[in-house]
Amino acid sequence: MTASSTFLRACGLSELEEDTPKRVELDGTPVSVVKTEGEVFAINDICSHANVSLSEGEVEDCQIECWLHGSAFDLRTGKPSGLPATRPVPVYPVKIEGDDVLVSLTQES
């Protein structure tokens, strides 16, 4: 198995509350895991505009908002929807196996 196909356990599905980000660390990478609209997403937890944890922000309309300056990032693509952020943040593939939420640190393209 190559590193690109390695999925790591992030948390239990039962630990996730709807629209409430959960911060986890996988191999030293901060990741925000979010259950919203019937899906689970994993996005890098650090805002591309400022060194701020996205998991402390609000989730709405499949976006996570940085609490500091208000930039929101699409949970599917990592792209910002408004200023001041102009760069996307990495998003990661997610698999659900039983109650386990598994995340691969390989970025989705």
Side-chain angles (χ1 to χ4, degrees), residues 83-98:
L83 297 173
T86 58
R87 291 176 293 127
V89 294
V91 294
Y92 307 109
V94 174
K95 287 195 309 190
I96 308 297
E97 290 183 359

Side-chain angles (χ1 to χ4, degrees), residues 55-94:
S55 62
E56 296 176 27
E58 304 273 325
V59 173
E60 187 175 337
D61 296 329
C62 212
Q63 295 187 78
I64 189 166
E65 183 181 53
C66 177
W67 63 270
L68 187 60
H69 296 115
S71 287
F73 297 88
D74 190 304
L75 290 168
R76 297 167 291 233
T77 66
K79 293 181 180 169
S81 61
L83 297 173
T86 58
R87 291 176 293 127
V89 294
V91 294
Y92 307 109
V94 174

